[in-house]
Amino acid sequence: MNTTILSAVTFVYLASFVVFLVSEATGKGTWEKAARFITLGGFLVHTGGIVLRWVESHQAGMGHAPLSNFYESLVFFSWAVVFLYLSFAWKQAKGIIGAFVMPVAFLLMAYASFSPTVDSQIKPLIPALKSNWLIVHVITCFLGYAAFVLASVFGIMSLRQGDDAARTKAVAEMLENCLKTGFILFTLGIVTGSVWAHVAWGRYWGWDPKETWALITWLIYTGAIHVRIRDGSMSRRFVAILVIGLAAVLFTYFGVNYLPGLHSYQ
Amino acid sequence: MQAKDTGGSGMKGNRVLRGPASLRLTGALLFWIALLCIVATIIPQTPYRPTEGTALTGRIMMLLSLRDVFHSLWFLVPVALLALNMLACMALRMRVRGKSGYFPMPKTGLSEVALPADRDPRLVREGLHRLISASHAPAAAGSGERPVLMGEKGALRRFAPLIVHGSIFVVLVGAALAFTGFKGTMEIPVGETLDVVTLYDGTPMPLGFALRCDKFGIQYYDSGMPREYRSDVSFVSKGSTVLQRPVLVNHPVSHHGILFSQSGYNQKAEATLTVKGPSGRQSISAGEDAVIEMHDTGHRVHVMRVIQDMMSMGPGVQLLVEGPGGSHMLWLFRDIARIAERYPGITGKVPQFNPSLVKPYTFVLDGVTTRDTTILGVNRDPGVPFVAAGAILFLVGITMVFLMVHERVWAVVEEDQGRLTVKLAMQRNGKTVPVDVHVCEQVKGLGSVPS
């Protein structure tokens, strides 16, 4: 049941992307409002789907948070992107900004729901994942990922400077908020992961590929923050670092599965 | 983060610190460290295995420590340099900050408010003082003919970048302390006691106390997936049990600063042998790799393989018996009588199958049993409290950097030919920013003599 609802959300996000595009093309407020509320509606259903999955896992006698396999991580990643987008940009959630963000949420959901390689079944937890640290580690990491993705998307948007000074300023502001939030949350994700690793494996850091790539991502965004302070404005090199950071986030999430390590998804 | 702000070419402060504190150096070091991290995830890290063969690529990899990047000088030296770089930045920041006993009003970026002619300078000053005190902690900033009023809030925010960079230094110190600890494993068969850790490079290390595995068990889900691994372990010191604890995945046990975690399991096949010799019968239990000394004749028996079912012939054991008469390979079968019935004369045709091949002994295999063996990860890392403290400090510092605002405001009243002008300045997180229009409006209304 939950997978049906969640796959329906995919199409809602696609629709909101299209309506955002139309609103940008027509410049009409009605379309903008419609797109915003379609996104919000999709997000609420998305949240409901995740909660339902949790409930269904309890009913099946497993009772674990839906944060334990590749499917669930994709669904939560997409949820985190929309959640942060709505939190930081509800007022600005219009036109081209939505048209840049919603495809990210749509693609993640589409991959989760329709890729034949992604298993959407609820499975019991293996002993290594049976820990309360799972929830806090996964939530902080994915909110961090999502905030970094948004920061990078806003960075790319800022290259396309229009005449609209208010929008330019709004994008810069949202970028800054996302970067700061992402940095705090991702750091928290690494720290909670370290605590968990200490408990589960006896060491807080073991240079597992996922750990190493998380560090690489962290270093890149650390660089971005320093360049931002130094340049004082949206410089091209700042945006370039954000784009490299986006690639690093994607590799940390997807790419590491192709390397041998302890964090591979089942 | 703003500690780096003073880095680079336009930096103030001590000349000695300027080089090591440069932001360019930070950037280069971060880039290099990130690059090595990438290399280390592409080339599998197998630090404790000897490098394969003498192939040229293998030798180059060994020479450049590419199979053990994180313990190589390529990696450790830049990390140490990064730590020094941050220390230099922090020292510079302290010097720059520490100098000022009071904070002079900025000379540029001032907002000027011209007051109407009828204002009383004393009342204006009082009004300004009230205005500043309402939102900021007032402070004196200079004296003399033109006393400057000053207010400050969020002053703690100034230390946030120091906390952030200092915390990373603390983490690195903690990480360096890990080199004074050890990492290893203990493989303990159920019912046995072991007091030696096998370190990751294969060397054994005495623990100072012993561990006995009382029980090992695996619970399964209905689907057959493992649900729980559990070892019941006793810690034994000088022959007496001092602590009994279950070790589960995600629930390690700490003893004498050493962390024991459930890291795996094995099944060990063990052979029960009866050896008939000149001094009678002897019953022996032995697993693979065991060596049995026969003291009366000087023979040594190496247990080579223990197999539960050898090619459908039942349990079998391969032994290498060394003695004064040379070395002999022996295959023992529990069901040798049945095998001999089926293949008459086999012990004559295949001497290795003859249990009495090595005189004066006759070996009988009574059976093969399997015994569960728990594998515990054994780690001692004295740096953990430092790393934990550093991580907490970092999170506190970074939250302060992002969420707190340090504000300073200045106001000075100037009189020129009977007309008063108030000059205002504001700094947010060390940067001069324009004063809000509505504040200027409020200032304009100050000092009017009540009628």
Side-chain angles (χ1 to χ4, degrees):
Chain A
M1 183 62 187
N2 67 81
T3 49
T4 321
I5 293 175
L6 289 169
S7 50
V9 171
T10 315
F11 295 104
V12 179
Y13 287 160
L14 178 64
S16 100
F17 162 60
V18 173
V19 180
F20 271 125
L21 269 188
V22 172
S23 80
E24 177 69 12
T26 58
K28 279 192 185 153
T30 340
W31 285 104
E32 239 165 52
K33 219 172 188 178
R36 270 160 71 165
F37 282 96
I38 291 173
T39 311
L40 182 63
F43 174 72
L44 293 177
V45 177
H46 195 162
T47 313
I50 292 176
V51 172
L52 183 63
R53 191 175 172 87
W54 201 331
V55 171
E56 281 179 16
S57 127
H58 268 281
Q59 284 166 349
M62 287 172 264
H64 60 79
L67 300 166
S68 68
N69 60 21
F70 191 40
Y71 172 80
E72 290 169 353
S73 73
L74 280 165
V75 168
F76 186 72
F77 196 168
S78 172
W79 182 90
V81 167
V82 182
F83 171 71
L84 288 176
Y85 172 57
L86 291 176
S87 315
F88 286 131
W90 175 244
K91 280 188 200 150
Q92 299 296 333
K94 52 189 177 186
I96 198 75
I97 299 176
F100 262 81
V101 173
M102 290 321 290
V104 179
F106 160 68
L107 286 174
L108 287 170
M109 286 305 282
Y111 187 31
S113 300
F114 306 116
S115 166
T117 55
V118 179
D119 181 5
S120 65
Q121 266 193 314
I122 302 179
K123 294 249 173 76
L125 285 183
I126 57 167
L129 292 183
K130 286 172 85 177
S131 166
N132 289 332
W133 290 103
L134 171 75
I135 297 178
V136 27
H137 174 57
V138 173
I139 287 181
T140 47
C141 279
F142 278 89
L143 282 173
Y145 280 157
F148 280 160
V149 167
L150 285 181
S152 298
V153 167
F154 291 139
I156 296 166
M157 276 194 68
S158 74
L159 290 178
R160 186 187 163 282
Q161 295 285 7
D163 308 327
D164 193 344
R167 179 178 279 182
T168 310
K169 194 170 162 247
V171 168
E173 208 168 274
M174 289 189 296
L175 195 168
E176 196 134 303
N177 286 336
C178 286
L179 187 57
K180 288 174 178 177
T181 314
F183 197 76
I184 292 180
L185 288 171
F186 195 67
T187 308
L188 257 177
I190 293 178
V191 171
T192 52
S194 293
V195 177
W196 189 11
H198 181 70
V199 171
W201 300 320
R203 84 287 184 289
Y204 59 87
W205 193 268
W207 298 110
D208 173 66
K210 194 81 158 190
E211 293 170 357
T212 310
W213 271 95
L215 177 68
I216 294 168
T217 304
W218 188 85
L219 288 175
I220 292 171
Y221 283 93
T222 305
I225 288 170
H226 284 90
V227 166
R228 176 76 179 84
I229 292 170
R230 195 151 178 73
D231 293 355
S233 64
M234 293 278 228
S235 59
R236 275 189 174 269
R237 63 173 186 171
F238 172 58
V239 175
I241 294 175
L242 287 182
V243 172
I244 297 170
L246 178 64
V249 166
L250 294 179
F251 195 83
T252 308
Y253 179 43
F254 294 108
V256 168
N257 288 326
Y258 301 100
L259 301 169
L262 298 162
H263 274 87
S264 299
Y265 287 102
Q266 314 258 317
Chain B
M1 229 125 290
Q2 288 193 340
K4 304 293 168 63
D5 228 13
T6 51
S9 51
M11 187 170 52
K12 292 172 261 175
N14 192 325
R15 198 167 280 202
V16 184
L17 289 175
R18 209 176 288 177
S22 108
L23 188 60
R24 204 164 277 177
L25 178 64
T26 320
L29 289 171
L30 290 183
F31 181 77
W32 179 250
I33 291 168
L35 198 73
L36 281 180
C37 286
I38 296 175
V39 169
T41 54
I42 294 169
I43 301 173
Q45 299 292 292
T46 49
Y48 303 109
R49 259 171 245 165
T51 320
E52 62 275 68
T54 47
L56 186 63
T57 47
R59 266 184 291 168
I60 291 174
M61 286 221 225
M62 194 158 76
L63 196 67
L64 299 179
S65 311
L66 292 182
R67 291 236 177 261
D68 191 14
V69 168
F70 299 115
H71 296 98
S72 70
L73 289 180
W74 302 111
F75 183 77
L76 293 177
V77 170
V79 171
L81 281 178
L82 185 70
L84 289 179
N85 172 255
M86 279 189 308
L87 270 191
C89 278
M90 285 159 57
L92 249 190
R93 195 182 165 84
M94 296 279 264
R95 286 179 70 92
V96 173
R97 300 278 146 164
K99 262 181 204 164
S100 39
Y102 75 96
F103 312 101
M105 187 167 180
K107 295 194 172 55
T108 52
L110 304 182
S111 306
E112 293 189 17
V113 182
L115 299 184
D118 58 340
R119 301 299 161 88
D120 176 348
R122 194 179 51 84
L123 287 179
V124 170
R125 259 189 218 107
E126 275 176 22
L128 281 173
H129 186 78
R130 252 200 328 276
L131 205 59
I132 290 175
S133 314
S135 54
H136 294 73
S143 51
E145 286 171 28
R146 291 192 308 132
V148 178
L149 295 163
M150 196 218 148
E152 191 176 28
K153 72 171 176 190
L156 273 182
R157 162 67 173 74
R158 286 188 303 143
F159 300 103
L162 276 179
I163 295 175
V164 167
H165 293 95
S167 69
I168 293 185
F169 187 77
V170 175
V171 169
L172 291 178
V173 168
L177 282 176
F179 286 98
T180 64
F182 61 81
K183 280 180 187 177
T185 53
M186 286 173 94
E187 194 172 337
I188 318 173
V190 173
E192 287 198 12
T193 309
L194 189 66
D195 58 359
V196 173
V197 185
T198 308
L199 300 182
Y200 274 113
D201 59 359
T203 53
M205 193 194 78
L207 202 53
F209 54 90
L211 265 76
R212 188 178 61 239
C213 176
D214 299 321
K215 210 170 126 191
F216 175 79
I218 308 173
Q219 279 186 352
Y220 294 93
Y221 290 109
D222 295 339
S223 63
M225 268 173 66
R227 181 194 192 109
E228 194 83 270
Y229 303 102
R230 176 187 168 124
S231 308
D232 287 299
V233 175
S234 297
F235 294 83
V236 183
S237 189
K238 290 173 193 148
S240 58
T241 303
V242 287
L243 185 73
Q244 276 186 309
R245 286 273 185 284
V247 182
L248 290 89
V249 180
N250 275 316
H251 299 278
V253 171
S254 177
H255 188 61
H256 287 316
I258 303 169
L259 199 63
F260 296 89
S261 37
Q262 183 66 54
S263 104
Y265 71 99
N266 224 333
Q267 277 198 324
K268 224 174 163 183
E270 220 165 68
T272 318
L273 302 167
T274 303
V275 186
K276 296 175 197 158
S279 49
R281 296 164 75 95
Q282 194 182 349
S283 192
I284 298 163
S285 276
E288 275 176 20
D289 300 329
V291 180
I292 306 152
E293 303 275 355
M294 314 298 260
H295 295 292
D296 42 0
T297 55
H299 281 80
R300 282 161 71 93
V301 181
H302 298 259
V303 182
M304 308 296 285
R305 294 169 74 187
V306 181
I307 297 167
Q308 277 195 295
D309 188 11
M310 174 71 188
M311 298 166 83
S312 309
M313 291 189 286
V317 173
Q318 189 184 23
L319 303 177
L320 179 71
V321 187
E322 289 176 330
S327 299
H328 297 278
M329 195 68 88
L330 265 187
W331 271 105
L332 302 181
F333 294 96
R334 186 192 64 188
D335 305 334
I336 187 67
R338 191 170 54 84
I339 297 168
E341 219 169 78
R342 210 161 142 199
Y343 307 100
I346 188 149
T347 50
K349 277 184 224 153
V350 188
Q352 290 186 1
F353 284 15
N354 181 358
S356 310
L357 182 69
V358 185
K359 298 284 181 258
Y361 292 108
T362 301
F363 295 91
V364 179
L365 176 61
D366 299 321
V368 169
T369 51
T370 55
R371 196 139 52 128
D372 286 328
T373 305
T374 183
I375 303 175
L376 300 177
V378 185
N379 292 284
R380 199 178 98 83
D381 185 348
V384 168
F386 287 83
V387 175
I392 292 168
L393 265 183
F394 183 88
L395 286 167
V396 169
I398 199 75
T399 311
M400 282 169 74
V401 166
F402 288 154
L403 297 186
M404 277 179 81
V405 180
H406 173 221
E407 241 176 35
R408 285 194 187 122
V409 287
W410 291 266
V412 63
V413 184
E414 289 186 350
E415 205 168 347
D416 185 27
Q417 295 170 355
R419 289 194 66 100
L420 298 179
T421 309
V422 178
K423 288 186 175 168
L424 300 164
M426 188 172 201
Q427 279 191 346
R428 207 168 271 148
N429 293 342
K431 285 201 182 87
T432 307
V433 292
V435 177
D436 284 349
V437 179
H438 77 271
V439 174
C440 293
E441 288 300 318
Q442 274 179 296
V443 169
K444 215 170 225 174
L446 293 176
S448 52
V449 185
S451 50

